């Protein structure tokens, strides 16, 4: 992961779930932040539909598990595992198929499935992260291979098809595993290019909106209406547009948040502006002042 992408993801995590004054965040639940904050940082588990979202690669939707955002769903895992095929390798085209499956499953089974302007990109991006960051690399295979045994180790799964067991808390880096070469870091543009390509293979991976209280009631939101014409759904996959939306929507979404995680909106926004602003400017991204969140009326947009 490039320093720019790492900094962007860390800054967003701090802004929406952590302590922007101290510059800390939790990959788990809430914690006590710096003195003077108006609220208690929630950690990533408390950011449903703001950072963490529905349609994860193997985790179930929050509503379907009583608010638990980390529930391992075996049907998702079994389908993912089956995709490796005779090649014993998980590739981008295969995780694109999984991303479409998880999205469709959520629409068909979760009456409150929701894909927000920023978190709606996190889930499909994270599908690609599995391939980009879990594959085992070597001098003979610079592109990497993500085999069944490597995948099982990272996801803490033992057994074979029909008798899998998920061993919570036992995720580990496999033995004799080598990371992606530092000469080929993933940056913000790379991440979103992968997702844009996946959406062309499986249209609908990128979409914003949600179900309205019943399954299969997905109501999409027009990107032009959502952004006041700054971005357009028809051209979102072209050039750097998706990366620009990724960067700008995270900032605009914080401004529009009805109940900021930490309450220190000014400090959080300053952090995002300082970290994401230069990246957006380098890409020539247009300004996005706010999002028209009224378009999400009737959808469950927060935590459960």
């Amino acid at each position: 992961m490039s320093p720019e992408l790492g900094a962007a993801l860390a800054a967003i995590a701090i802004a929406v779930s952590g302590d922007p004054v101290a510059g800390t965040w939790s990959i788990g639940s809430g914690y006590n932040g710096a003195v003077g904050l108006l609220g208690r940082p929630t950690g990533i588990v408390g950011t449903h539909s703001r950072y963490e979202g529905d349609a994860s690669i193997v985790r179930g939707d929050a509503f379907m598990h009583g608010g638990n955002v980390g529930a391992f769903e075996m049907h998702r895992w079994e389908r993912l595992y089956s995709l490796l095929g005779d090649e014993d390798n998980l590739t981008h085209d295969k995780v694109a198929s999984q991303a479409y499956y998880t999205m469709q499953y959520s629409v068909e089974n979760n009456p409150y499935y929701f894909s927000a302007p920023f978190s709606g990109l996190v889930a499909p991006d994270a599908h690609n992260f599995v391939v980009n960051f879990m594959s085992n690399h070597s001098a003979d295979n610079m592109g990497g291979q993500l085999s069944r045994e490597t995948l099982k180790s990272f996801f803490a799964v033992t057994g074979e098809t029909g008798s899998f067991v998920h061993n919570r808390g036992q995720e580990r880096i496999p033995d004799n595993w080598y990371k992606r070469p530092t000469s080929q870091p993933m940056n913000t543009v790379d991440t979103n290019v992968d997702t844009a390509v996946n959406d062309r293979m499986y249209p609908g991976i990128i979409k914003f909106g949600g179900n309205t209280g019943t399954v299969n009631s997905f109501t999409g939101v027009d990107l032009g209406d959502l952004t006041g014409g700054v971005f357009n759904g028809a051209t979102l996959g072209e050039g750097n547009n998706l990366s620009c939306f990724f960067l700008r929507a995270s900032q605009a979404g914080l401004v529009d948040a009805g109940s900021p995680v930490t309450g220190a909106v000014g400090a959080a926004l300053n952090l995002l502006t300082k970290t994401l602003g230069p990246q957006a400017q380098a890409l020539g991204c247009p300004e996005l002042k706010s999002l028209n969140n009224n378009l999400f009326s009737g959808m469950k947009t927060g935590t459960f």
Side-chain angles (χ1 to χ4, degrees):
M1 182 179 292
S2 71
E4 294 79 13
L5 177 57
L9 295 177
I12 294 167
I14 292 169
V16 302
S17 72
D19 179 345
V21 176
T24 61
W25 61 289
S26 167
I27 63 173
S29 57
Y31 64 101
N32 294 323
V35 176
L37 291 181
L38 301 179
R40 186 171 185 264
T42 66
I44 287 295
V45 299
T47 64
H48 188 68
S49 293
R50 298 186 64 210
Y51 199 138
E52 178 278 326
D54 293 329
S56 296
I57 191 166
V58 297
R59 308 288 174 174
D61 295 355
F63 176 77
M64 299 176 71
H65 294 276
N68 180 2
V69 300
F72 186 94
E73 287 192 349
M74 190 58 70
H75 72 94
R76 296 177 192 255
W77 165 261
E78 289 178 338
R79 187 184 187 281
L80 177 68
Y81 191 83
S82 72
L83 294 175
L84 277 76
D86 294 337
E87 304 85 9
D88 192 24
N89 190 23
L90 188 63
T91 56
H92 283 101
D93 58 326
K94 294 176 182 179
V95 291
S97 168
Q98 181 75 0
Y100 186 77
Y101 166 78
T102 58
M103 180 273 297
Q104 283 294 108
Y105 183 87
S106 291
V107 170
E108 294 170 2
N109 292 274
N110 179 0
Y112 295 106
Y113 165 72
F114 184 62
S115 179
F118 170 71
S119 67
L121 290 177
V122 172
D125 282 354
H127 279 70
N128 294 320
F129 278 11
V130 169
V131 173
N132 288 323
F133 299 128
M134 293 185 183
S135 294
N136 195 1
H137 298 79
S138 66
D140 294 331
N141 190 350
M142 295 291 285
Q145 178 177 2
L146 185 47
S147 68
R148 290 182 175 86
E149 290 306 309
T150 298
L151 193 68
K152 286 162 68 175
S153 182
F154 273 114
F155 281 97
V157 174
T158 53
E160 300 299 332
T161 302
S163 60
F164 286 124
V165 176
H166 175 242
N167 305 283
R168 183 180 178 184
Q170 296 184 33
E171 297 84 357
R172 65 184 298 272
I173 297 173
D175 295 330
N176 299 314
W177 178 88
Y178 297 90
K179 67 180 182 180
R180 184 186 182 97
T182 55
S183 61
Q184 300 176 6
M186 283 291 295
N187 59 35
T188 306
V189 172
D190 296 331
T191 297
N192 289 289
V193 165
D194 284 347
T195 299
V197 170
N198 290 355
D199 187 62
R200 285 195 286 272
M201 288 191 289
Y202 297 92
I205 287 178
I206 300 174
K207 61 182 179 182
F208 307 108
N211 282 345
T212 55
T214 59
V215 298
N216 291 314
S217 61
F218 184 85
T219 301
V221 168
D222 180 81
L223 191 62
D225 293 338
L226 180 65
T227 63
V230 176
F231 292 96
N232 185 299
T235 60
L236 190 62
E238 298 177 4
N240 293 325
N241 290 343
L242 188 59
S243 294
C244 285
F245 180 74
F246 177 89
L247 294 168
R248 294 304 197 194
S250 63
Q251 295 172 277
L254 182 67
V255 174
D256 290 343
S259 54
V261 173
T262 64
V265 181
L269 188 56
N270 287 339
L271 174 65
L272 288 185
T273 300
K274 178 181 178 180
T275 307
L276 307 186
Q279 293 190 46
Q281 291 170 8
L283 295 176
C285 299
E287 292 286 341
L288 177 61
K289 297 297 184 182
S290 63
L291 299 170
N292 183 7
N293 286 327
N294 291 329
L295 297 174
F296 297 123
S297 176
M299 305 174 196
K300 180 69 174 177
T301 60
T303 57
F304 292 92

